[in-house]
Structure formats: C-alpha cells, structure tokens
Amino acid sequence: MRKKVTPRVARLLLTCIGLSAVIGLSCIEPAQAAGSVDFTALEQGIVKEVNLARTNPAAYASWLRGQRQYYRGKLMRRPGEAPVRTQEGLAAVDEAIRWLEKHRPAGALGTSRGLSLAARDLVAPQGASGGIGHTGPDGSTPSGRIERHGQWESVIGENVAYGQRTARDVVAAFIVDDGVPGRGHRTNLFNAAFHVLGVDCGPHSTYGTTCAITFAGGFREKPGP
C-alpha cells in the first residue's frame, strides 16, 4: 500500500509549456484555429502516447531521430505545416534522444475521470480567455482544481501545452522540452511516483488548441451526487 501524504508535506510538480517551450512554440505564421480537431480523440491519443513513451522510451527516441531532418538551425519546417522557431534547435532534440536511449521503462499510467475533470477546469476557461499558465482565469491552482474532484495521494503534477494538433506532437514537445531548464515536463511524464493521469483538450482563442495533463501518485474519486 502506498503511503498517504498530507497536502501540507506533499510535492506539487508544476510545469507549463508556453510559447518558448514546446518543440516549437514560436510559430512563424499565425496559429491555426482548432477547426476540425477531434478533441476526444486527441485526449485518448495523449494517454496512449504518454504510456508508449513511459513503457518504450526507445521507440520515442527512434521517432525523434526521424524528426532531425526537418531542422535548419533553430527553425523546424515539416511538410505542410507552418515553420516553427525553437530556442535550442537540434541540441534539445539530440539531448532528448540520448536521454530516452538511457532511460529505463516506467510503468503505464491508469486514467482518472476526476483528474480529467480537473484538467478541464483549466482548459475550458483558459481557452476562452486566451491565457496561459497554471493559474486559471478564476484564480484556481492545480491542487485546488484536483481537490474539487477527489482526494490525491503522495504527489501531483500538471503539464500544459498550447498549439499542438496531434497527440504525438503534444507528448514529444513535453519530452524535448525546448528552452526549459531542468526539462520539468519530461520529468513529470516519466516520474515513477505517478500512477494515474487525467487529460483534457480544447480550443484556445490565441493558440488554436490547448491540452492539460494532471498527474497523481494516487487518486480517490469524489462520490457522485
């Protein structure tokens, strides 16, 4: 049985992907509107991609190696997509590849409806307002949003991404963590202390799309009405 830790001494691992932090995030052209994005499919895909990365990091290393061809200095140009200006260019991609090749697989994460609702509590209002970050337009914090929907155990965390339209790009962006000292998003994705996650994605008035992942060491759902 995992030891339960009170909120007073538990750790909250916060990382947020903004314009300077996601394989890209400084687009040369205006961000695309959400358009025909199937957000339910995107959410389901993110769960699969997170667990693929955790259980088979070498597979992600191989895919990232294939992305190297699209970089010219700090500019990434993939066919049919708007070019993206990164902070570190290939240096961040190559560092991620080396890290993945050495990293031992971690366990797959289960899903939690309550954690997904907590993610939605950030995604929906923030998408409408056009803001970024971990503080919601209503002043809510990650721990506050999570605690609306149940009781968490041991440790919690949150990753937020803006502008990606595929599950692979969301998760790869967290892994590469371009421009982020300490690679905190990657740390959250591979943290062995996490056992469950929740995901929500939606339209964003500034960046087209946004996705939030909430993590916990354990989570007890709040009973329904």
Side-chain angles (χ1 to χ4, degrees):
M1 179 180 293
R2 292 189 298 273
K3 181 180 178 181
K4 186 175 178 181
V5 181
T6 64
R8 185 173 301 172
V9 298
R11 293 184 301 147
L12 173 61
L13 304 180
L14 295 181
T15 46
C16 173
I17 280 196
L19 285 184
S20 62
V22 176
I23 292 187
L25 304 267
S26 180
C27 293
I28 307 304
E29 298 178 7
Q32 292 179 297
S36 61
V37 175
D38 182 336
F39 289 111
T40 297
L42 182 57
E43 292 158 4
Q44 293 170 346
I46 288 171
V47 173
K48 292 179 181 178
E49 291 291 328
V50 168
N51 282 331
L52 172 63
R54 285 174 64 93
T55 60
N56 191 356
Y60 253 87
S62 178
W63 183 82
L64 283 175
R65 195 174 294 108
Q67 299 297 296
R68 299 181 81 263
Q69 63 183 307
Y70 302 122
Y71 283 79
R72 296 293 182 273
K74 294 185 178 180
L75 197 65
M76 183 181 72
R77 291 179 178 271
R78 295 195 298 198
E81 299 181 10
V84 167
R85 191 180 305 281
T86 68
Q87 288 195 32
E88 300 176 66
L90 273 176
V93 177
D94 289 341
E95 185 274 331
I97 291 170
R98 292 191 299 271
W99 188 93
L100 289 167
E101 289 175 337
K102 296 178 181 178
H103 189 73
R104 293 182 178 180
L109 301 178
T111 57
S112 161
R113 181 176 182 273
L115 290 177
S116 294
L117 291 173
R120 181 174 298 176
D121 286 349
L122 176 65
V123 166
Q126 193 175 79
S129 70
I132 62 173
H134 293 286
T135 302
D138 60 353
S140 64
T141 63
S143 59
R145 291 187 293 270
I146 289 171
E147 288 164 2
R148 291 172 186 169
H149 302 286
Q151 186 175 5
W152 55 274
E153 298 177 4
S154 181
V155 61
I156 53 176
E158 180 179 83
N159 281 8
V160 190
Y162 305 93
Q164 292 75 29
R165 298 170 66 87
T166 71
R168 175 61 58 92
D169 281 347
V170 170
V171 174
F174 287 138
I175 291 173
V176 173
D177 237 1
D178 177 65
V180 179
R183 312 299 192 203
H185 310 93
R186 184 194 302 166
T187 298
N188 272 357
L189 280 186
F190 291 93
N191 191 337
F194 291 137
H195 298 281
V196 289
L197 84 167
V199 181
D200 192 77
C201 299
H204 193 281
S205 60
T206 303
Y207 303 120
T209 63
T210 180
C211 293
I213 307 177
T214 53
F215 304 91
F219 191 73
R220 190 174 302 170
E221 308 278 345
K222 182 175 289 186

Short mmCIF file of all heavy atoms in Angstrom, two decimals, residues 171-204:
data_model
loop_
_atom_site.label_atom_id
_atom_site.label_comp_id
_atom_site.label_asym_id
_atom_site.label_seq_id
_atom_site.Cartn_x
_atom_site.Cartn_y
_atom_site.Cartn_z
N VAL A 171 3.06 15.11 -26.76
CA VAL A 171 3.94 14.35 -25.87
C VAL A 171 5.41 14.56 -26.26
O VAL A 171 6.28 14.70 -25.39
CB VAL A 171 3.55 12.86 -25.89
CG1 VAL A 171 4.55 12.03 -25.09
CG2 VAL A 171 2.15 12.69 -25.32
N ALA A 172 5.70 14.61 -27.55
CA ALA A 172 7.08 14.86 -27.97
C ALA A 172 7.56 16.23 -27.50
O ALA A 172 8.72 16.38 -27.12
CB ALA A 172 7.19 14.74 -29.49
N ALA A 173 6.67 17.20 -27.52
CA ALA A 173 7.04 18.53 -27.05
C ALA A 173 7.40 18.52 -25.58
O ALA A 173 8.37 19.15 -25.14
CB ALA A 173 5.90 19.51 -27.31
N PHE A 174 6.64 17.78 -24.78
CA PHE A 174 6.97 17.66 -23.37
C PHE A 174 8.31 16.96 -23.16
O PHE A 174 9.06 17.27 -22.24
CB PHE A 174 5.88 16.88 -22.63
CG PHE A 174 4.59 17.62 -22.43
CD1 PHE A 174 3.37 16.96 -22.63
CD2 PHE A 174 4.56 18.94 -22.04
CE1 PHE A 174 2.18 17.63 -22.43
CE2 PHE A 174 3.37 19.62 -21.85
CZ PHE A 174 2.17 18.96 -22.05
N ILE A 175 8.61 15.98 -24.00
CA ILE A 175 9.86 15.23 -23.85
C ILE A 175 11.06 16.07 -24.25
O ILE A 175 12.06 16.13 -23.53
CB ILE A 175 9.80 13.94 -24.69
CG1 ILE A 175 8.78 12.96 -24.08
CG2 ILE A 175 11.18 13.28 -24.76
CD1 ILE A 175 8.53 11.72 -24.92
N VAL A 176 10.97 16.75 -25.39
CA VAL A 176 12.10 17.57 -25.84
C VAL A 176 12.28 18.76 -24.90
O VAL A 176 13.40 19.12 -24.54
CB VAL A 176 11.88 18.05 -27.29
CG1 VAL A 176 12.96 19.04 -27.70
CG2 VAL A 176 11.88 16.84 -28.24
N ASP A 177 11.17 19.39 -24.51
CA ASP A 177 11.20 20.47 -23.53
C ASP A 177 12.15 21.60 -23.96
O ASP A 177 12.95 22.10 -23.15
CB ASP A 177 11.60 19.93 -22.15
CG ASP A 177 10.55 20.24 -21.11
OD1 ASP A 177 9.53 20.84 -21.46
OD2 ASP A 177 10.76 19.89 -19.93
N ASP A 178 12.05 21.97 -25.20
CA ASP A 178 12.91 23.01 -25.77
C ASP A 178 12.84 24.29 -24.94
O ASP A 178 11.78 24.82 -24.66
CB ASP A 178 12.44 23.31 -27.20
CG ASP A 178 13.21 24.43 -27.86
OD1 ASP A 178 14.43 24.27 -28.07
OD2 ASP A 178 12.59 25.47 -28.15
N GLY A 179 13.97 24.78 -24.53
CA GLY A 179 14.04 26.05 -23.82
C GLY A 179 13.67 26.00 -22.35
O GLY A 179 13.61 27.04 -21.69
N VAL A 180 13.44 24.81 -21.80
CA VAL A 180 13.02 24.69 -20.40
C VAL A 180 14.17 24.16 -19.55
O VAL A 180 14.53 22.99 -19.67
CB VAL A 180 11.80 23.76 -20.26
CG1 VAL A 180 11.39 23.63 -18.80
CG2 VAL A 180 10.64 24.28 -21.10
N PRO A 181 14.74 24.97 -18.70
CA PRO A 181 15.82 24.48 -17.83
C PRO A 181 15.31 23.35 -16.94
O PRO A 181 14.23 23.44 -16.35
CB PRO A 181 16.18 25.73 -17.00
CG PRO A 181 15.69 26.89 -17.81
CD PRO A 181 14.46 26.40 -18.50
N GLY A 182 16.08 22.30 -16.84
CA GLY A 182 15.69 21.19 -15.98
C GLY A 182 14.74 20.20 -16.62
O GLY A 182 14.49 19.14 -16.05
N ARG A 183 14.19 20.53 -17.81
CA ARG A 183 13.28 19.61 -18.52
C ARG A 183 12.17 19.11 -17.60
O ARG A 183 11.92 17.92 -17.47
CB ARG A 183 14.05 18.43 -19.11
CG ARG A 183 15.32 18.78 -19.88
CD ARG A 183 15.06 19.66 -21.09
NE ARG A 183 16.25 19.73 -21.96
CZ ARG A 183 16.50 20.71 -22.81
NH1 ARG A 183 15.65 21.73 -22.91
NH2 ARG A 183 17.59 20.69 -23.56
N GLY A 184 11.48 20.04 -16.96
CA GLY A 184 10.47 19.67 -15.99
C GLY A 184 9.28 18.91 -16.55
O GLY A 184 8.71 18.05 -15.87
N HIS A 185 8.88 19.22 -17.79
CA HIS A 185 7.75 18.50 -18.38
C HIS A 185 8.11 17.04 -18.58
O HIS A 185 7.30 16.14 -18.34
CB HIS A 185 7.37 19.11 -19.73
CG HIS A 185 7.20 20.59 -19.70
ND1 HIS A 185 8.20 21.46 -20.00
CD2 HIS A 185 6.11 21.34 -19.39
CE1 HIS A 185 7.76 22.69 -19.88
NE2 HIS A 185 6.50 22.65 -19.51
N ARG A 186 9.34 16.81 -19.04
CA ARG A 186 9.81 15.43 -19.23
C ARG A 186 9.86 14.70 -17.88
O ARG A 186 9.47 13.52 -17.79
CB ARG A 186 11.20 15.44 -19.87
CG ARG A 186 11.73 14.04 -20.18
CD ARG A 186 13.21 14.08 -20.50
NE ARG A 186 13.50 14.97 -21.62
CZ ARG A 186 14.72 15.39 -21.93
NH1 ARG A 186 15.77 15.02 -21.19
NH2 ARG A 186 14.92 16.19 -22.95
N THR A 187 10.32 15.39 -16.87
CA THR A 187 10.38 14.78 -15.54
C THR A 187 9.00 14.30 -15.09
O THR A 187 8.85 13.19 -14.57
CB THR A 187 10.94 15.79 -14.52
OG1 THR A 187 12.28 16.13 -14.91
CG2 THR A 187 10.95 15.20 -13.12
N ASN A 188 7.99 15.13 -15.31
CA ASN A 188 6.63 14.72 -14.95
C ASN A 188 6.19 13.49 -15.73
O ASN A 188 5.62 12.54 -15.17
CB ASN A 188 5.64 15.86 -15.21
CG ASN A 188 5.50 16.80 -14.03
OD1 ASN A 188 6.09 16.60 -12.98
ND2 ASN A 188 4.72 17.85 -14.21
N LEU A 189 6.42 13.48 -17.03
CA LEU A 189 5.97 12.37 -17.87
C LEU A 189 6.53 11.03 -17.42
O LEU A 189 5.85 10.01 -17.48
CB LEU A 189 6.37 12.60 -19.33
CG LEU A 189 5.52 13.54 -20.19
CD1 LEU A 189 6.01 13.49 -21.62
CD2 LEU A 189 4.05 13.16 -20.13
N PHE A 190 7.79 11.04 -16.98
CA PHE A 190 8.47 9.79 -16.65
C PHE A 190 8.59 9.53 -15.15
O PHE A 190 9.23 8.57 -14.74
CB PHE A 190 9.86 9.77 -17.30
CG PHE A 190 9.81 9.66 -18.81
CD1 PHE A 190 9.82 10.80 -19.59
CD2 PHE A 190 9.73 8.43 -19.42
CE1 PHE A 190 9.77 10.71 -20.98
CE2 PHE A 190 9.68 8.32 -20.81
CZ PHE A 190 9.69 9.47 -21.59
N ASN A 191 7.95 10.35 -14.35
CA ASN A 191 8.06 10.22 -12.90
C ASN A 191 7.43 8.91 -12.44
O ASN A 191 6.23 8.67 -12.60
CB ASN A 191 7.36 11.40 -12.22
CG ASN A 191 7.65 11.48 -10.75
OD1 ASN A 191 8.00 10.49 -10.10
ND2 ASN A 191 7.49 12.68 -10.19
N ALA A 192 8.25 8.04 -11.84
CA ALA A 192 7.75 6.74 -11.38
C ALA A 192 6.79 6.86 -10.21
O ALA A 192 6.08 5.90 -9.90
CB ALA A 192 8.93 5.85 -11.00
N ALA A 193 6.76 8.02 -9.56
CA ALA A 193 5.84 8.20 -8.43
C ALA A 193 4.40 8.42 -8.88
O ALA A 193 3.48 8.28 -8.09
CB ALA A 193 6.29 9.40 -7.58
N PHE A 194 4.22 8.76 -10.15
CA PHE A 194 2.86 8.95 -10.67
C PHE A 194 2.30 7.60 -11.12
O PHE A 194 2.99 6.80 -11.75
CB PHE A 194 2.86 9.91 -11.86
CG PHE A 194 3.15 11.35 -11.50
CD1 PHE A 194 4.00 12.12 -12.29
CD2 PHE A 194 2.59 11.93 -10.39
CE1 PHE A 194 4.27 13.43 -11.98
CE2 PHE A 194 2.85 13.25 -10.06
CZ PHE A 194 3.69 14.01 -10.86
N HIS A 195 1.01 7.39 -10.81
CA HIS A 195 0.35 6.15 -11.20
C HIS A 195 -0.94 6.38 -11.98
O HIS A 195 -1.47 5.45 -12.60
CB HIS A 195 0.05 5.30 -9.96
CG HIS A 195 1.29 4.88 -9.24
ND1 HIS A 195 2.09 3.83 -9.65
CD2 HIS A 195 1.90 5.38 -8.13
CE1 HIS A 195 3.12 3.69 -8.84
NE2 HIS A 195 3.03 4.63 -7.90
N VAL A 196 -1.46 7.59 -11.94
CA VAL A 196 -2.69 7.90 -12.68
C VAL A 196 -2.57 9.27 -13.31
O VAL A 196 -1.79 10.12 -12.87
CB VAL A 196 -3.94 7.87 -11.77
CG1 VAL A 196 -4.28 6.46 -11.36
CG2 VAL A 196 -3.76 8.77 -10.55
N LEU A 197 -3.37 9.50 -14.37
CA LEU A 197 -3.38 10.79 -15.03
C LEU A 197 -4.78 11.10 -15.53
O LEU A 197 -5.64 10.21 -15.65
CB LEU A 197 -2.39 10.84 -16.20
CG LEU A 197 -2.82 10.30 -17.58
CD1 LEU A 197 -1.83 10.71 -18.65
CD2 LEU A 197 -2.99 8.80 -17.57
N GLY A 198 -5.00 12.35 -15.83
CA GLY A 198 -6.21 12.80 -16.49
C GLY A 198 -5.83 13.77 -17.58
O GLY A 198 -4.83 14.48 -17.46
N VAL A 199 -6.60 13.81 -18.65
CA VAL A 199 -6.27 14.66 -19.81
C VAL A 199 -7.51 15.40 -20.27
O VAL A 199 -8.61 14.83 -20.30
CB VAL A 199 -5.72 13.82 -20.99
CG1 VAL A 199 -5.36 14.72 -22.16
CG2 VAL A 199 -4.51 12.99 -20.57
N ASP A 200 -7.34 16.64 -20.64
CA ASP A 200 -8.40 17.37 -21.31
C ASP A 200 -7.80 18.30 -22.35
O ASP A 200 -6.73 18.89 -22.13
CB ASP A 200 -9.24 18.20 -20.32
CG ASP A 200 -10.51 18.72 -20.97
OD1 ASP A 200 -11.45 17.91 -21.14
OD2 ASP A 200 -10.56 19.90 -21.34
N CYS A 201 -8.45 18.39 -23.50
CA CYS A 201 -8.01 19.28 -24.57
C CYS A 201 -9.19 20.09 -25.07
O CYS A 201 -10.35 19.64 -24.98
CB CYS A 201 -7.43 18.47 -25.74
SG CYS A 201 -5.98 17.48 -25.35
N GLY A 202 -8.91 21.25 -25.60
CA GLY A 202 -9.98 22.08 -26.14
C GLY A 202 -9.43 23.21 -26.98
O GLY A 202 -8.21 23.38 -27.11
N PRO A 203 -10.32 24.01 -27.54
CA PRO A 203 -9.88 25.15 -28.36
C PRO A 203 -9.28 26.24 -27.49
O PRO A 203 -9.63 26.39 -26.32
CB PRO A 203 -11.17 25.61 -29.03
CG PRO A 203 -12.26 25.17 -28.09
CD PRO A 203 -11.78 23.88 -27.48
N HIS A 204 -8.36 26.98 -28.08
CA HIS A 204 -7.73 28.11 -27.38
C HIS A 204 -7.80 29.33 -28.30
O HIS A 204 -7.40 29.26 -29.46
CB HIS A 204 -6.27 27.78 -27.05
CG HIS A 204 -5.64 28.72 -26.09
ND1 HIS A 204 -5.16 29.97 -26.45
CD2 HIS A 204 -5.40 28.62 -24.74
CE1 HIS A 204 -4.66 30.58 -25.40
NE2 HIS A 204 -4.80 29.78 -24.34
#
